[in-house]
Amino acid sequence: MTASAPLLVPGLRSLAPAYHGILCDVWGVLHNGVSAFEQAHQALASFRQEAGGTVVLITNAPRPNAPIREQLAGFGVPLEAYDDIVTSGDVTRDLLHANAGAKLLHIGPERDLPLYDETGVVLASEEDAELISCTGLFDDENETPDDYRDRLSVLAKRGLTMICANPDIVVERGDRLIWCAGALARLYEDLGGTVSILGKPHAPIYKAAVERLEAIRGGPVDPQKILAVGDGLPTDIRGAVSQDLDVLFITGGIHAADFGATDDPDEHLVLRRLAEEGLRARAAVPRLIW
């Protein structure tokens, strides 16, 4: 569906009657890495309770969904806000299973190590590795992708494939932008390396999320009755558009500075940016509200 006129809408309530299911991004929509956005999870709860809809959270988090549930609970996001979660880590695990026995170099923080549990891969040193799995930077508070340039250049020359478990380039953490695994994957490709990505904006994570949505609802769901909600143009929006899903663009996320005042974005600037990116949206709001 092409962008409506006006693009900016008061909230999810104005769109809800047209949809049976929502695929909703997490980081940047439900929380900023430090605290939850209360109105956002209330909006999803209202969609479920008042509109009879189903909500599947779809996130590029590089871990299986169980730790994400715990994280959301810690932020105060109630279970009433969603039906299930599909993560980039979930779909990446399928690829890791397919490479069982391979010697794998992990690049990323220790908190992401549960990704490899029971996948059959063998964590190995840089010298012995046959495959790379990147979940992020080791120290995303202080490092940048440039800190990895020499290391990745050596690995790329060896012809090792990198599995990128989180395609995001950056995310918000409080009032800061933090580099993610997608930034390292982009650098690795620039250095001549091969990268395999299953999370947003690529099809596998959407296939998994739609299958989960249909399982919860007990049957097929018309794609035109599914609304994707997200703030990231290269991941959330591009991914949804590639799957021919309608989009509710959250303008107050990682691109907020491009659209004027965060809580009062300039619709012309939003439309222009979507056009420049070759993307579209059904509607837009600064923050997810009901």
Side-chain angles (χ1 to χ4, degrees), residues 56-240:
V56 175
L57 303 182
I58 178 171
T59 169
N60 274 343
R63 297 176 294 286
N65 65 71
I68 305 307
R69 293 177 188 275
E70 295 175 7
Q71 182 186 54
L72 289 174
F75 285 145
V77 178
L79 292 176
E80 290 76 18
Y82 62 92
D83 293 275
D84 209 345
I85 306 173
V86 174
T87 74
S88 182
D90 289 334
V91 292
T92 297
R93 280 175 61 83
D94 294 337
L95 182 55
L96 293 171
H97 276 293
N99 285 277
K103 296 178 181 178
L104 180 139
L105 172 66
H106 167 70
I107 298 177
E110 287 189 11
R111 65 175 179 268
D112 296 334
L113 290 177
L115 174 67
Y116 310 112
D117 290 349
E118 300 179 359
T119 60
V121 297
V122 180
L123 295 181
S125 67
E126 195 167 317
E127 293 73 24
D128 296 334
E130 303 166 328
L131 190 66
I132 308 164
S133 172
C134 181
T135 64
L137 285 66
F138 289 111
D139 180 2
D140 58 18
E141 288 286 340
N142 298 294
E143 293 179 323
T144 73
D146 275 343
D147 294 320
Y148 290 76
R149 181 175 295 275
D150 291 344
R151 184 179 195 179
L152 294 181
S153 180
V154 172
L155 293 168
K157 288 176 182 177
R158 286 173 53 192
L160 301 188
T161 294
M162 173 188 285
I163 298 172
C164 177
N166 177 358
D168 287 347
I169 305 298
V170 295
V171 293
E172 291 181 298
R173 182 175 292 156
D175 59 357
R176 299 177 55 203
L177 292 179
I178 301 295
W179 292 106
C180 298
L184 295 185
R186 182 173 63 182
L187 175 58
Y188 196 65
E189 285 186 317
D190 289 344
L191 294 170
T194 299
V195 176
S196 179
I197 306 178
L198 304 180
K200 296 179 289 184
H202 302 280
I205 193 169
Y206 289 94
K207 181 176 184 292
V210 170
E211 287 175 351
R212 190 68 196 115
L213 179 69
E214 292 180 331
I216 294 167
R217 293 190 66 84
V221 178
D222 184 343
Q224 293 186 353
K225 297 293 186 179
I226 300 174
L227 179 68
V229 180
D231 70 314
L233 288 169
T235 50
D236 306 320
I237 312 308
R238 187 168 301 282

